[in-house]
Amino acid sequence: MAKIIVITSGKGGVGKTTTSAAFATGLAMKGFKTVVIDFDVGLRNLDLVMGCERRVVYDFINVINGEARLHQALIKDKHSENLCVLPASQTRDKDALTKEGVEAVLSDLAKDFDYIVCDSPAGIEHGAMMALYFADEAIVTTNPEISSVRDSDRILGILQSRSRRAENNLEPVKEHLLVNRYDPVRVSKGEMLDLEDVKEILAIPLLGVIPESPDVLKASNKGLPVIHLQESIAGQAYMDMVERFLGEERPHRFLEAPKPSLIQRMFGGK
């Protein structure tokens, strides 16, 4: 039976879609049949990050409305044979996501995939609530900023009270914390929250810390999940995250500011 994992946050712009693409790709690279679904109806960015925007013919809403079969809407990833993408619609309203329709699609996907990764919109609007409702596990993505962390805390409350698991008094949604765009230099200057502060506020297990890196934008512009860039610190951190999710013990890296070189110190570098 497939496991449904939602990538969520309270605040927009924290890197959920980048994380969804990298995480789903990482699971596929480890040999698991994985599908990643874009729940952001009306905007649709996942297909761009995955590099398959020109191949979208049918979408999530077409399947829900019976206008296309599921296999017609699924797009096979170019780089990972175990990965498929189910894109969102750019022309429909988020209310087109019905609970019955989403449940039917997830049930069909569960027959063929090991993991179903749901790329949720930010906040608590309809599309986000649909993604959260069916989750077995949630990766709560935040930046080390107080507004982002505060909004993520609200999402945790919703997961614990309004998910399908909560409604049916089942085992709670398993929660993981992902801190994105972490910059140890800015943390040392007091411009960002310290990692320990974020962990203390949200009080859920830390799955990963993704360092600030220009490689993320470069990869996204190429339609390539950054996890494919093995020389990138962001790509390495995402692979560490996937390994931890699958049960491997891995230390958290890239938490300290790089030390200046001898030349930098000689010429006033810090």
Side-chain angles (χ1 to χ4, degrees):
M1 190 67 179
K3 188 168 288 184
I4 301 171
I5 304 146
V6 64
I7 313 294
T8 182
S9 76
K11 191 172 184 289
V14 301
K16 285 184 306 301
T17 298
T18 298
T19 295
S20 297
F23 180 66
T25 298
L27 291 173
M29 290 167 71
K30 297 300 291 185
F32 296 97
K33 294 193 69 178
T34 306
V35 59
V36 57
I37 308 174
D38 192 345
F39 274 79
D40 203 355
V41 176
L43 292 178
R44 199 178 89 188
N45 288 313
L46 179 64
D47 55 305
L48 290 170
V49 176
M50 298 295 296
C52 62
E53 70 278 7
R54 293 187 184 90
R55 296 161 64 187
V56 177
V57 178
Y58 296 110
D59 56 53
F60 195 6
I61 303 303
N62 290 137
V63 178
I64 287 176
N65 290 344
E67 298 159 353
R69 304 292 294 274
L70 180 58
H71 70 270
Q72 293 177 285
L74 287 174
I75 301 171
K76 290 187 179 295
D77 184 64
K78 301 175 185 177
H79 308 285
S80 303
E81 63 177 359
N82 293 316
L83 182 60
C84 287
V85 181
L86 182 56
S89 170
Q90 282 187 306
T91 60
R92 308 293 182 94
D93 187 84
K94 288 180 172 61
D95 290 335
L97 288 171
T98 64
K99 188 175 288 187
E100 297 76 17
V102 172
E103 184 171 25
V105 172
L106 293 176
S107 295
D108 281 348
L109 289 170
K111 299 171 186 175
D112 298 315
F113 292 93
D114 300 309
Y115 289 103
I116 300 170
V117 178
C118 302
D119 180 21
S120 170
I124 55 173
E125 47 86 9
H126 183 70
M129 294 304 295
M130 285 294 100
L132 290 169
Y133 181 77
F134 293 99
D136 297 313
E137 302 195 31
I139 297 175
V140 179
T141 307
T142 186
N143 294 156
E145 303 165 358
I146 190 62
S147 61
S148 179
V149 174
R150 179 194 61 193
D151 290 349
S152 292
D153 205 23
R154 176 136 191 237
I155 294 297
L156 289 173
I158 291 171
L159 283 167
Q160 293 161 9
S161 61
R162 296 177 63 181
S163 67
R164 177 171 60 176
R165 286 178 169 271
E167 281 187 2
N168 295 314
N169 198 28
L170 301 173
E171 184 178 346
V173 175
K174 187 175 182 180
E175 299 158 344
H176 309 271
L177 172 61
L178 181 74
V179 180
N180 208 0
R181 304 191 67 178
Y182 191 78
D183 186 339
V185 174
R186 294 187 64 191
V187 169
S188 68
K189 294 178 180 179
E191 297 173 1
M192 283 184 168
L193 289 177
D194 183 86
L195 182 61
E196 293 304 316
D197 292 333
V198 178
K199 289 164 61 179
E200 182 177 351
I201 293 168
L202 295 178
I204 59 174
L206 180 65
L207 182 64
V209 181
I210 311 301
E212 181 72 80
S213 170
D215 294 329
V216 174
L217 181 58
K218 291 176 185 176
S220 293
N221 287 340
K222 293 178 181 177
L224 183 72
V226 71
I227 198 169
H228 283 296
L229 304 182
Q230 297 181 4
E231 74 284 358
S232 164
I233 59 172
Q236 293 172 41
Y238 271 122
M239 185 52 79
D240 286 349
M241 164 200 172
V242 171
E243 297 280 10
R244 288 190 203 98
F245 180 84
L246 295 173
E248 183 174 323
E249 292 288 334
R250 287 215 171 184
H252 292 281
R253 299 188 281 170
F254 317 116
L255 304 183
E256 303 293 332
K259 294 181 180 180
S261 67
L262 176 61
I263 293 177
Q264 286 174 321
R265 293 197 300 271
M266 287 174 62
F267 290 92
K270 296 182 179 179

Short mmCIF file of all heavy atoms in Angstrom, two decimals, residues 91-125:
data_model
loop_
_atom_site.label_atom_id
_atom_site.label_comp_id
_atom_site.label_asym_id
_atom_site.label_seq_id
_atom_site.Cartn_x
_atom_site.Cartn_y
_atom_site.Cartn_z
N THR A 91 -6.06 26.39 -15.45
CA THR A 91 -7.26 27.09 -15.90
C THR A 91 -8.47 26.86 -15.02
O THR A 91 -9.52 27.47 -15.24
CB THR A 91 -7.61 26.66 -17.34
OG1 THR A 91 -7.84 25.24 -17.36
CG2 THR A 91 -6.48 27.00 -18.29
N ARG A 92 -8.36 26.01 -14.02
CA ARG A 92 -9.50 25.72 -13.16
C ARG A 92 -9.34 26.42 -11.81
O ARG A 92 -8.27 26.87 -11.44
CB ARG A 92 -9.64 24.21 -12.92
CG ARG A 92 -9.65 23.37 -14.18
CD ARG A 92 -10.87 23.61 -15.03
NE ARG A 92 -10.85 22.75 -16.21
CZ ARG A 92 -11.44 21.56 -16.28
NH1 ARG A 92 -12.13 21.10 -15.24
NH2 ARG A 92 -11.36 20.83 -17.38
N ASP A 93 -10.44 26.41 -11.06
CA ASP A 93 -10.43 26.95 -9.70
C ASP A 93 -10.09 25.84 -8.72
O ASP A 93 -10.35 24.66 -8.98
CB ASP A 93 -11.82 27.53 -9.38
CG ASP A 93 -11.84 28.25 -8.06
OD1 ASP A 93 -11.48 29.43 -8.01
OD2 ASP A 93 -12.22 27.60 -7.06
N LYS A 94 -9.51 26.22 -7.59
CA LYS A 94 -9.12 25.22 -6.59
C LYS A 94 -10.31 24.42 -6.07
O LYS A 94 -10.14 23.30 -5.58
CB LYS A 94 -8.39 25.90 -5.43
CG LYS A 94 -6.99 26.39 -5.79
CD LYS A 94 -6.31 27.05 -4.62
CE LYS A 94 -4.84 27.35 -4.93
NZ LYS A 94 -4.65 28.26 -6.05
N ASP A 95 -11.51 24.97 -6.14
CA ASP A 95 -12.70 24.25 -5.68
C ASP A 95 -13.00 23.02 -6.54
O ASP A 95 -13.82 22.18 -6.16
CB ASP A 95 -13.92 25.18 -5.66
CG ASP A 95 -13.82 26.24 -4.57
OD1 ASP A 95 -13.10 25.98 -3.57
OD2 ASP A 95 -14.43 27.31 -4.70
N ALA A 96 -12.35 22.92 -7.68
CA ALA A 96 -12.52 21.72 -8.52
C ALA A 96 -11.94 20.48 -7.85
O ALA A 96 -12.24 19.35 -8.25
CB ALA A 96 -11.86 21.95 -9.88
N LEU A 97 -11.08 20.69 -6.85
CA LEU A 97 -10.56 19.57 -6.06
C LEU A 97 -11.62 19.14 -5.05
O LEU A 97 -11.81 19.80 -4.03
CB LEU A 97 -9.27 19.97 -5.34
CG LEU A 97 -8.00 20.15 -6.16
CD1 LEU A 97 -6.90 20.74 -5.30
CD2 LEU A 97 -7.54 18.82 -6.74
N THR A 98 -12.31 18.06 -5.32
CA THR A 98 -13.30 17.56 -4.37
C THR A 98 -12.69 16.43 -3.55
O THR A 98 -11.79 15.72 -4.01
CB THR A 98 -14.54 17.01 -5.11
OG1 THR A 98 -14.13 15.87 -5.90
CG2 THR A 98 -15.15 18.07 -6.01
N LYS A 99 -13.17 16.28 -2.34
CA LYS A 99 -12.63 15.25 -1.45
C LYS A 99 -12.82 13.86 -2.07
O LYS A 99 -11.90 13.02 -2.05
CB LYS A 99 -13.30 15.32 -0.08
CG LYS A 99 -12.67 14.42 0.96
CD LYS A 99 -13.31 14.63 2.34
CE LYS A 99 -12.92 15.94 2.95
NZ LYS A 99 -13.41 16.07 4.35
N GLU A 100 -13.98 13.63 -2.66
CA GLU A 100 -14.26 12.33 -3.27
C GLU A 100 -13.37 12.10 -4.48
O GLU A 100 -12.84 11.00 -4.69
CB GLU A 100 -15.73 12.25 -3.69
CG GLU A 100 -16.73 12.32 -2.55
CD GLU A 100 -16.91 13.73 -2.00
OE1 GLU A 100 -16.53 14.70 -2.68
OE2 GLU A 100 -17.42 13.84 -0.85
N GLY A 101 -13.16 13.15 -5.28
CA GLY A 101 -12.34 13.03 -6.47
C GLY A 101 -10.88 12.78 -6.13
O GLY A 101 -10.22 11.93 -6.74
N VAL A 102 -10.36 13.54 -5.16
CA VAL A 102 -8.97 13.36 -4.74
C VAL A 102 -8.76 11.97 -4.16
O VAL A 102 -7.78 11.28 -4.47
CB VAL A 102 -8.57 14.44 -3.72
CG1 VAL A 102 -7.18 14.14 -3.13
CG2 VAL A 102 -8.58 15.82 -4.36
N GLU A 103 -9.71 11.52 -3.34
CA GLU A 103 -9.59 10.20 -2.73
C GLU A 103 -9.57 9.10 -3.79
O GLU A 103 -8.79 8.14 -3.70
CB GLU A 103 -10.74 9.96 -1.76
CG GLU A 103 -10.64 8.64 -1.01
CD GLU A 103 -11.68 8.52 0.09
OE1 GLU A 103 -12.73 9.18 0.00
OE2 GLU A 103 -11.42 7.76 1.05
N ALA A 104 -10.40 9.25 -4.82
CA ALA A 104 -10.45 8.24 -5.89
C ALA A 104 -9.12 8.18 -6.65
O ALA A 104 -8.61 7.10 -6.96
CB ALA A 104 -11.60 8.56 -6.84
N VAL A 105 -8.54 9.35 -6.94
CA VAL A 105 -7.26 9.38 -7.65
C VAL A 105 -6.15 8.77 -6.79
O VAL A 105 -5.34 7.97 -7.27
CB VAL A 105 -6.89 10.83 -8.06
CG1 VAL A 105 -5.47 10.88 -8.62
CG2 VAL A 105 -7.88 11.35 -9.09
N LEU A 106 -6.12 9.14 -5.51
CA LEU A 106 -5.09 8.59 -4.62
C LEU A 106 -5.23 7.08 -4.49
O LEU A 106 -4.23 6.35 -4.44
CB LEU A 106 -5.19 9.26 -3.24
CG LEU A 106 -4.83 10.75 -3.18
CD1 LEU A 106 -5.06 11.29 -1.78
CD2 LEU A 106 -3.38 10.99 -3.60
N SER A 107 -6.46 6.59 -4.44
CA SER A 107 -6.68 5.14 -4.33
C SER A 107 -6.17 4.42 -5.57
O SER A 107 -5.58 3.33 -5.48
CB SER A 107 -8.17 4.85 -4.13
OG SER A 107 -8.61 5.37 -2.89
N ASP A 108 -6.40 5.01 -6.75
CA ASP A 108 -5.90 4.40 -7.98
C ASP A 108 -4.37 4.42 -8.03
O ASP A 108 -3.74 3.44 -8.42
CB ASP A 108 -6.45 5.15 -9.20
CG ASP A 108 -7.89 4.75 -9.52
OD1 ASP A 108 -8.37 3.75 -8.94
OD2 ASP A 108 -8.53 5.45 -10.33
N LEU A 109 -3.77 5.53 -7.62
CA LEU A 109 -2.31 5.63 -7.62
C LEU A 109 -1.68 4.63 -6.65
O LEU A 109 -0.61 4.08 -6.91
CB LEU A 109 -1.88 7.05 -7.25
CG LEU A 109 -2.15 8.13 -8.30
CD1 LEU A 109 -1.90 9.51 -7.70
CD2 LEU A 109 -1.27 7.93 -9.53
N ALA A 110 -2.37 4.39 -5.54
CA ALA A 110 -1.83 3.50 -4.50
C ALA A 110 -1.65 2.07 -5.00
O ALA A 110 -0.88 1.30 -4.42
CB ALA A 110 -2.74 3.53 -3.27
N LYS A 111 -2.34 1.72 -6.09
CA LYS A 111 -2.21 0.36 -6.64
C LYS A 111 -0.88 0.15 -7.34
O LYS A 111 -0.41 -0.99 -7.47
CB LYS A 111 -3.36 0.10 -7.63
CG LYS A 111 -4.75 0.19 -7.01
CD LYS A 111 -5.82 0.12 -8.10
CE LYS A 111 -7.21 0.35 -7.52
NZ LYS A 111 -8.24 0.42 -8.61
N ASP A 112 -0.26 1.24 -7.81
CA ASP A 112 0.93 1.11 -8.66
C ASP A 112 2.19 1.75 -8.09
O ASP A 112 3.27 1.56 -8.64
CB ASP A 112 0.65 1.72 -10.03
CG ASP A 112 -0.46 1.00 -10.77
OD1 ASP A 112 -0.46 -0.24 -10.78
OD2 ASP A 112 -1.35 1.69 -11.32
N PHE A 113 2.05 2.55 -7.03
CA PHE A 113 3.20 3.29 -6.53
C PHE A 113 3.47 2.98 -5.06
O PHE A 113 2.56 2.66 -4.30
CB PHE A 113 2.97 4.81 -6.71
CG PHE A 113 2.97 5.24 -8.14
CD1 PHE A 113 1.78 5.32 -8.86
CD2 PHE A 113 4.16 5.56 -8.79
CE1 PHE A 113 1.77 5.71 -10.19
CE2 PHE A 113 4.16 5.95 -10.13
CZ PHE A 113 2.97 6.02 -10.82
N ASP A 114 4.74 3.12 -4.68
CA ASP A 114 5.14 2.95 -3.29
C ASP A 114 4.91 4.22 -2.49
O ASP A 114 4.51 4.17 -1.32
CB ASP A 114 6.63 2.57 -3.20
CG ASP A 114 6.94 1.28 -3.94
OD1 ASP A 114 6.25 0.28 -3.68
OD2 ASP A 114 7.88 1.27 -4.76
N TYR A 115 5.20 5.36 -3.12
CA TYR A 115 5.06 6.66 -2.45
C TYR A 115 4.28 7.63 -3.33
O TYR A 115 4.53 7.72 -4.54
CB TYR A 115 6.42 7.26 -2.12
CG TYR A 115 7.16 6.53 -1.01
CD1 TYR A 115 8.21 5.66 -1.31
CD2 TYR A 115 6.81 6.71 0.33
CE1 TYR A 115 8.88 4.98 -0.29
CE2 TYR A 115 7.48 6.04 1.34
CZ TYR A 115 8.51 5.18 1.03
OH TYR A 115 9.16 4.51 2.02
N ILE A 116 3.37 8.37 -2.70
CA ILE A 116 2.63 9.44 -3.35
C ILE A 116 3.01 10.73 -2.63
O ILE A 116 2.70 10.91 -1.45
CB ILE A 116 1.11 9.22 -3.26
CG1 ILE A 116 0.72 7.89 -3.93
CG2 ILE A 116 0.36 10.38 -3.90
CD1 ILE A 116 -0.73 7.48 -3.68
N VAL A 117 3.72 11.62 -3.33
CA VAL A 117 4.19 12.87 -2.75
C VAL A 117 3.27 13.99 -3.21
O VAL A 117 3.08 14.19 -4.42
CB VAL A 117 5.64 13.16 -3.15
CG1 VAL A 117 6.12 14.50 -2.57
CG2 VAL A 117 6.56 12.02 -2.69
N CYS A 118 2.69 14.71 -2.26
CA CYS A 118 1.72 15.77 -2.57
C CYS A 118 2.36 17.14 -2.34
O CYS A 118 2.71 17.48 -1.21
CB CYS A 118 0.48 15.63 -1.69
SG CYS A 118 -0.36 14.04 -1.85
N ASP A 119 2.52 17.90 -3.42
CA ASP A 119 3.07 19.25 -3.34
C ASP A 119 1.92 20.21 -3.03
O ASP A 119 1.14 20.57 -3.90
CB ASP A 119 3.74 19.61 -4.67
CG ASP A 119 4.33 21.01 -4.68
OD1 ASP A 119 4.58 21.55 -3.59
OD2 ASP A 119 4.54 21.55 -5.78
N SER A 120 1.84 20.62 -1.76
CA SER A 120 0.70 21.42 -1.31
C SER A 120 0.92 22.90 -1.55
O SER A 120 2.05 23.39 -1.44
CB SER A 120 0.49 21.19 0.20
OG SER A 120 -0.44 22.11 0.74
N PRO A 121 -0.15 23.64 -1.85
CA PRO A 121 -0.04 25.10 -1.83
C PRO A 121 0.23 25.57 -0.40
O PRO A 121 0.03 24.82 0.56
CB PRO A 121 -1.42 25.58 -2.31
CG PRO A 121 -2.09 24.38 -2.87
CD PRO A 121 -1.50 23.19 -2.20
N ALA A 122 0.65 26.81 -0.27
CA ALA A 122 0.89 27.36 1.07
C ALA A 122 -0.43 27.66 1.78
O ALA A 122 -1.47 27.82 1.14
CB ALA A 122 1.72 28.65 0.95
N GLY A 123 -0.36 27.71 3.11
CA GLY A 123 -1.49 28.17 3.89
C GLY A 123 -2.56 27.12 4.08
O GLY A 123 -2.30 25.92 4.07
N ILE A 124 -3.80 27.60 4.24
CA ILE A 124 -4.90 26.71 4.58
C ILE A 124 -6.09 26.88 3.62
O ILE A 124 -7.23 26.64 3.99
CB ILE A 124 -5.36 26.94 6.04
CG1 ILE A 124 -5.71 28.42 6.28
CG2 ILE A 124 -4.28 26.51 7.02
CD1 ILE A 124 -6.33 28.69 7.64
N GLU A 125 -5.79 27.29 2.39
CA GLU A 125 -6.89 27.38 1.42
C GLU A 125 -7.27 25.98 0.95
O GLU A 125 -6.68 24.98 1.37
CB GLU A 125 -6.51 28.32 0.25
CG GLU A 125 -5.15 28.08 -0.35
CD GLU A 125 -5.16 27.00 -1.41
OE1 GLU A 125 -6.25 26.55 -1.81
OE2 GLU A 125 -4.08 26.59 -1.82
#
